[in-house]
Amino acid sequence: MCWGAPAVVVESSGSIAKVDYGDGVIREVFVGISEGRIEPGDLVMVHAGVIITKLTPEGILEQIEFIKSVVGEEASAWTSMYENILRLADELKRGGR
């Protein structure tokens, strides 16, 4: 079983990027896709410390709705992480950080 986690790119330099998984902790990961495609504010999927693909805000919103439909109101801990990365991505794209 593979486990990937959504995150937002905070900073990117060469083959290393700094990401936030929505918990406010910045972690370094390897960029496993074309480096030119990654910039601050991008939503990405990270697997085993490697960015494996970019995500869309619409995809994250679908995931939030799916989690809520399966888990119900107890899903707020998970969904808040997703909501945090959406908010941070929006701030970074607007140059607010």
Side-chain angles (χ1 to χ4, degrees), residues 26-44:
I26 306 300
R27 297 171 178 92
E28 285 190 351
V29 296
F30 287 103
V31 178
I33 59 176
S34 175
E35 295 166 11
R37 296 176 49 202
I38 299 296
E39 61 184 44
D42 282 346
L43 297 164
V44 294

Side-chain angles (χ1 to χ4, degrees), residues 16-72:
I16 301 292
K18 293 181 179 179
V19 301
D20 186 330
Y21 291 97
D23 60 358
V25 178
I26 306 300
R27 297 171 178 92
E28 285 190 351
V29 296
F30 287 103
V31 178
I33 59 176
S34 175
E35 295 166 11
R37 296 176 49 202
I38 299 296
E39 61 184 44
D42 282 346
L43 297 164
V44 294
M45 180 66 71
V46 179
H47 173 68
V50 179
I51 294 173
I52 58 173
T53 191
K54 288 176 69 173
L55 303 171
T56 64
E58 294 78 15
I60 298 291
L61 290 171
E62 281 183 33
Q63 188 70 22
I64 290 170
E65 291 307 312
F66 174 75
I67 293 170
K68 285 180 178 177
S69 72
V70 172
V71 181

Side-chain angles (χ1 to χ4, degrees), residues 5-10 18-27 29 42-44 46 55 60 64 76-89 91-92 97:
V8 61
V9 174
V10 176
K18 293 181 179 179
V19 301
D20 186 330
Y21 291 97
D23 60 358
V25 178
I26 306 300
R27 297 171 178 92
V29 296
D42 282 346
L43 297 164
V44 294
V46 179
L55 303 171
I60 298 291
I64 290 170
S76 64
W78 286 7
T79 59
S80 68
M81 301 284 269
Y82 285 80
E83 291 162 351
N84 288 344
I85 65 170
L86 283 174
R87 185 174 30 258
L88 179 56
E91 288 175 13
L92 288 166
R97 276 196 153 199

